[in-house]
Amino acid sequence: MASYEAVIGLEVHAQLKTASKLFCSCPVGFGAQPNEHICEVCAGFPGALPRLNEKAVELAVRAGIALNCTVNGYSLFSRKNYFYPDLPDGFQTSQFEPPICEHGHLEVTVNGETTRVGITRIHLENDAGKCVHGQGVTLVDLNRAGTPLIEIVSEPDIRSAEEAAEYMRQVHAILVAIGTTDGNMEEGGLRCDANVSLREKGAEAFGTRTETKNLNSFRNVQRAIEYEIERQKSCLEDGEPILQETRLFDAVKQVTQAMRSKEDAHDYRYFPNPDLPPVIVPEKIIAAWRADMPELPAPRIARFIKQYGLNDDEARTLVAEKGAADYFESAVAKGGQPRRVAALMQSDFLRECAVAGIAPAEAAMAPDKLAELAALVDSGAISGRMAHEIFPELFSGGASPEALARERGLAQVSDAGELDRLVDEALTENPDEVAGYKSGKTKLLAFFVGQVMRKSKGKANPALVNNLLIKKLAE
Ligand code: ADP
Ligand code: MG
Ligand code: ZN
């Protein structure tokens, strides 16, 4: 039996973070009453004229820069003609040739192996409205019609479902890091169509592909492609032809199902939209946007490893969510030991966020509280287990970590006489370190704190110990 290789190309749609729609000033948003945010342009009235949203152009160009594309200073909007009730224009306004960005790439690492995935093009287009089916009628809601999107089309360079999911994760992290999209996948802010075909190992020519539409989570991307690879494999093994078709993924049944036979590009009769002039972006402006790119995820991961001594896994987990990485850096800036902060974030903080369904920035627990907790664990004042126990209460914005730990029966030694004695002991027992500290090695303070904490069996109040040591060492 022949062995097969999967060939995969992804089309990712990202909703741009603009206040208004692509061709009119109606607001973009979620949760309004049906047809609350529409105008003549959204509703496709004859004679209504589109006007391009400049911010959308900027966000598309920034995405192109971050994805290593050539930015075209000249691009065109075309009409992509098809009929659907939620598309009152009778065409989607998209870009055909030339698109705003093309010839990019992204490096994707899975199990230590890095593949470069080509990015064919990025183009701007408007979203359609929505059909709402039920109770014997179908209603049309045009609030979403005209929402600005970019479509990022990859080359068929991906070879496994896992690689596809990782590509999607990276695109998500990059677009969120540069502020192009807020990346809310549940609300459809980032979704993906997966093109999958098989060919015999070693063959040059591609096989016939299917396209599975609207995958809205990393997990569904992976599952849908895994299913499709297996399905096509059994077709080929049974001598059945693969049909070029559009399929849908049923996330409950975990299968893809045929939706319609797939059109070719020429079926859409693309032609330049006569209502919109060419999009001209001067080189000077592109250069300015290029110059103020924020830090991208890959270099940020490398920096976290180098600057904070995190391991690869810790760095990746934090950077995968920009808000988590920002929170981490704030906690470290407030004095938290980086690896301890990272560990507490992974074991408790991010889990609490997930349970509460909130982003790190929305947590009631401020980064300095996490830094304080990290310091308490580091100094031995409280155990990791105690930290874990008091975490939910801290997370909901409760008292200070120290107060909470004490309340939970952590007998801390704050008695001045007792602490005085322990500190003196630690200093007399370590004359070399005392001399070292006095000659400028002030980092030795942590060593002394550790000694005192050990002597107190972790019960000394670390803040008091700290102050006492600084005072005595200055004498
Ligand atoms: P369309 O817009 O009609 O879906 P495109 O030519 O733009 O068609 O291709 C869409 C995607 O399909 C691209 O990501 C491309 O890499 C991928 N693709 C093209 N041919 C194949 C194939 N034989 N197998 C898998 N993916 C493919
Ligand atoms: Mg397609
Ligand atoms: Zn409108």
Side-chain angles (χ1 to χ4, degrees), residues 11 13 80 151 193 195 209 211 213 262 268:
E11 296 160 87
H13 287 89
K80 181 181 184 182
E151 177 172 343
D193 304 339
N195 297 269
R209 70 177 148 129
E211 177 175 1
K213 284 276 189 201
K262 188 170 161 39
Y268 290 118

Side-chain angles (χ1 to χ4, degrees), residues 2 175 367 391:
L175 296 184
F391 209 92

Side-chain angles (χ1 to χ4, degrees), residues 78-83 87-94 126 268 271 273 275:
S78 289
R79 292 183 177 183
K80 181 181 184 182
N81 298 283
Y82 67 97
F83 173 78
L87 188 75
D89 278 329
F91 54 83
Q92 182 184 26
T93 304
S94 182
N126 57 5
Y268 290 118
F271 68 89
N273 189 327
D275 289 340

Side-chain angles (χ1 to χ4, degrees), residues 13-37:
H13 287 89
Q15 185 178 324
L16 300 176
K17 217 162 129 182
T18 57
S20 56
K21 294 186 181 179
L22 188 55
F23 298 120
C24 66
S25 56
C26 294
V28 169
F30 201 73
Q33 290 298 309
N35 295 312
E36 192 178 331
H37 296 318

Side-chain angles (χ1 to χ4, degrees), residues 249-444:
F249 182 61
D250 182 329
V252 177
K253 294 192 192 138
Q254 300 271 311
V255 299
T256 68
Q257 283 163 335
M259 181 164 87
R260 56 168 191 256
S261 73
K262 188 170 161 39
E263 35 312 84
D264 285 311
H266 61 251
D267 294 328
Y268 290 118
R269 298 286 187 270
Y270 279 99
F271 68 89
N273 189 327
D275 289 340
L276 286 157
V279 183
I280 310 286
V281 189
E283 192 49 50
K284 222 173 74 189
I285 292 181
I286 300 172
W289 289 336
R290 195 183 292 282
D292 80 349
M293 265 292 124
E295 186 179 36
L296 295 179
R300 196 171 197 193
I301 288 170
R303 183 169 65 78
F304 274 23
I305 292 170
K306 189 153 177 267
Q307 182 178 345
Y308 300 122
L310 302 189
N311 66 33
D312 194 68
D313 180 56
E314 291 165 335
R316 275 178 200 285
T317 308
L318 292 173
V319 174
E321 197 182 340
K322 182 176 183 294
D326 292 345
Y327 192 98
F328 165 79
E329 293 211 270
S330 306
V332 170
K334 295 284 181 189
Q337 198 278 331
R339 292 212 64 182
R340 178 71 63 192
V341 170
L344 285 168
M345 285 190 69
Q346 275 190 297
S347 62
D348 294 278
F349 182 79
L350 293 175
R351 220 199 30 220
E352 294 287 346
C353 286
V355 169
I358 58 172
E362 296 164 341
M365 179 182 183
D368 57 339
K369 288 285 184 296
L370 188 64
E372 259 177 62
L373 184 67
L376 287 172
V377 177
D378 266 337
S379 67
I382 69 171
S383 62
R385 188 162 158 186
M386 169 71 78
H388 181 66
E389 262 171 40
I390 63 173
F391 209 92
E393 210 169 325
L394 280 176
F395 187 79
S396 48
S400 81
E402 209 182 320
L404 214 58
R406 209 174 308 131
E407 196 181 292
R408 294 282 179 105
L410 175 89
Q412 265 205 348
V413 180
S414 298
D415 174 68
E418 172 73 356
L419 289 181
D420 219 49
R421 193 178 63 73
L422 295 176
V423 167
D424 283 343
E425 250 181 58
L427 295 178
T428 348
E429 284 167 14
N430 300 287
D432 293 350
E433 282 75 11
V434 172
Y437 179 91
K438 292 193 168 168
S439 73
K441 292 186 192 156
T442 50
K443 280 190 178 161
L444 282 166

